[in-house]
Amino acid sequence: MHFPQSAITLNLSQFDNGIGQTFDWFSNNLDTLIFILIVTGSTIFVARLANHLMQSYLKNASDRLHVDMTTFRMFRHITVAAIYFIGLLIIIFSIPDLQNIATALLASAGLAGIIIGFAAQSTLSNIIAGLSLAIFQPFRVGDRVNIMNEYGKVTDLNLRHTVVTTWDNRRLIIPNSIISEESIINWTIEDPAIIWPIDIGISYDADIDFARKLMVEEARKHPNVMPPQKVEYNILRPGFRKKESQKTGLLDIYPALYTVDPDFRERGDIEVYVTELGDFAVNMRLLVWFKDRSVAYGSGCEIREAIKKRFDKESIEIPFPYRTIVYKKDIEMEKEASGTGGGPGEIPGQDASFRTCSPEKGINGD
């Protein structure tokens, strides 16, 4: 394709003018560009340095000074966000054009706030919910919780979401606005000790008192079962939820003593109750004390296994379901036998008209 010489000359002239204007703008605003680069680099450096120093402080002081991790992590996230925000404001007000725009936005802050509120309502709700969780602390970093049908440990709480590491090492990331509306079972808050149930069924022929004695003996052998004791106070990691009589200031970092519920001061006892007379078994429930939820499930499985082995050794049956199958021909034969003088339930040539069946043994135990 052939271009006229005049068109090529015009394009080159416009290109040269653009380059010249760009060079002139950079020359006239070189100090502003250098200032913006310095502020941007300084902001990133200060934010990362503050984050690193606060993480190092938390790691070194959490055990020694009992620093509350939940409040500290939220404070760290807010501090880093504030540093970036201040850096952005410095850059905006260092450019005259952006300064005029920012001033106009501030002058119409009401309308801008409404627009921003509608556009970022999800983000703002997460931030507000995160601050609420950090202040009121229904759970803290390190607590073990049941939430959204999952059991796990709270490993992080920031301005947007909460991270829960589940029992199988998955990371459950929940927005703060959602988690603030969920019902949560906190196994760690105030008093971590728990009563754990272990359900076992025995046959109707077994001696209940003897079975209860064996269950208590096997539970008492386990090292994680709490010994009998009486507890008046429980030590709780510090946070904003301290008793007024124990608050000495915002820098108080020592653990707080909380009075234990009177109904649960006596702990370490092992109880066995008959909970149900079932269709084929006497269902019994063993209640044992553990120091916290983290050891309860595994220890409960080990105790259940020990009880099964002890029952086998002592000839106490843990029954499985039985079914009684009645055949129509057997009913007719029973009627004939009754009409010829046979006793109820007697069938000529057979011992009974009913056959028992179980999944393990089949019909009549075959």
Side-chain angles (χ1 to χ4, degrees):
M1 183 179 293
H2 178 72
F3 292 97
Q5 185 68 26
S6 59
I8 297 176
T9 304
L10 178 62
N11 291 334
L12 291 175
S13 177
Q14 292 177 350
F15 180 74
D16 292 338
N17 291 334
I19 293 178
Q21 292 176 1
T22 302
F23 182 78
D24 292 338
W25 187 90
F26 275 102
S27 300
N28 297 331
N29 298 277
L30 182 61
D31 54 344
T32 303
L33 292 175
I34 295 175
F35 178 77
I36 292 174
L37 292 176
I38 293 175
V39 171
T40 302
S42 301
T43 301
I44 296 174
F45 174 77
V46 172
R48 292 185 176 182
L49 179 63
N51 186 51
H52 176 73
L53 291 177
M54 296 179 76
Q55 281 183 328
S56 301
Y57 173 79
L58 177 62
K59 182 178 180 180
N60 296 330
S62 58
D63 295 333
R64 181 169 54 90
L65 298 178
H66 304 283
V67 175
D68 181 51
M69 295 179 63
T70 305
T71 306
F72 192 88
R73 282 174 182 250
M74 182 60 66
F75 177 73
R76 177 169 61 86
H77 291 305
I78 293 175
T79 301
V80 173
I83 293 174
Y84 281 113
F85 182 72
I86 292 173
L88 179 62
L89 288 180
I90 294 174
I91 293 175
I92 289 175
F93 284 96
S94 65
I95 302 176
D97 294 338
L98 292 180
Q99 183 177 356
N100 295 332
I101 295 175
T103 303
L105 288 177
L106 291 177
S108 58
L111 180 60
I114 294 174
I115 296 174
I116 294 174
F118 278 109
Q121 56 182 341
S122 177
T123 301
L124 292 176
S125 63
N126 286 328
I127 293 175
I128 295 173
L131 293 174
S132 176
L133 293 173
I135 293 173
F136 296 103
Q137 294 186 358
F139 56 84
R140 301 156 301 183
V141 175
D143 284 359
R144 298 182 182 274
V145 298
N146 277 89
I147 183 170
M148 301 180 70
N149 298 321
E150 294 281 0
Y151 166 73
K153 179 180 179 181
V154 180
T155 55
D156 192 17
L157 171 62
N158 56 42
L159 290 174
R160 182 191 176 276
H161 59 260
T162 300
V163 181
V164 178
T165 301
T166 61
W167 63 273
D168 53 353
N169 203 34
R170 290 177 290 120
R171 300 303 186 272
L172 185 63
I173 301 175
I174 311 173
N176 291 330
S177 59
I178 295 178
I179 200 172
S180 62
E181 298 178 356
E182 286 286 329
S183 298
I184 302 172
I185 299 177
N186 192 331
W187 298 94
T188 312
I189 192 170
E190 293 191 5
D191 189 359
I194 65 168
I195 301 174
W196 191 256
I198 302 174
D199 294 322
I200 295 178
I202 62 174
S203 68
Y204 277 90
D205 297 332
D207 187 336
I208 294 178
D209 293 330
F210 184 50
R212 177 184 287 110
K213 175 176 176 293
L214 297 181
M215 293 169 69
V216 172
E217 288 179 357
E218 293 303 317
R220 187 59 69 191
K221 292 178 182 178
H222 199 279
N224 288 335
V225 174
M226 295 178 63
Q229 55 186 281
K230 185 175 182 179
V231 179
E232 296 289 342
Y233 298 96
N234 180 63
I235 298 178
L236 179 69
R237 289 177 297 175
F240 288 140
R241 299 179 299 102
K242 281 192 175 183
K243 291 185 176 180
E244 295 296 330
S245 60
Q246 295 174 337
K247 287 184 178 179
T248 60
L250 292 177
L251 297 180
D252 183 9
I253 55 177
Y254 295 99
L257 292 177
Y258 280 79
T259 304
V260 175
D261 191 316
D263 294 335
F264 297 97
R265 287 178 180 173
E266 302 287 344
R267 56 187 63 192
D269 292 336
I270 299 177
E271 303 288 344
V272 180
Y273 298 99
V274 176
T275 57
E276 183 185 14
L277 300 178
D279 295 336
F280 58 90
V282 178
N283 296 320
M284 306 179 70
R285 174 166 294 178
L286 172 69
L287 300 177
V288 292
W289 279 88
F290 293 108
K291 64 178 183 178
D292 57 50
R293 175 64 174 81
S294 63
V295 300
Y297 180 80
S299 300
C301 294
E302 293 171 356
I303 293 175
R304 185 180 291 107
E305 179 181 348
I307 292 174
K308 171 64 171 63
K309 293 178 179 178
R310 185 70 182 276
F311 277 6
D312 292 342
K313 184 178 180 181
E314 301 293 342
S315 300
I316 294 180
E317 180 186 4
I318 300 178
F320 43 81
Y322 285 91
R323 291 184 178 89
T324 299
I325 300 176
V326 181
Y327 293 98
K328 183 177 180 180
K329 64 177 183 178
D330 292 339
I331 297 176
E332 295 174 352
M333 294 176 64
E334 182 180 5
K335 291 180 180 179
E336 294 176 359
S338 299
T340 56
E346 295 181 2
I347 301 176
Q350 298 186 14
D351 295 333
S353 62
F354 299 102
R355 300 183 182 183
T356 59
C357 174
S358 68
E360 287 80 2
K361 297 182 179 180
I363 298 177
N364 289 337
D366 295 334

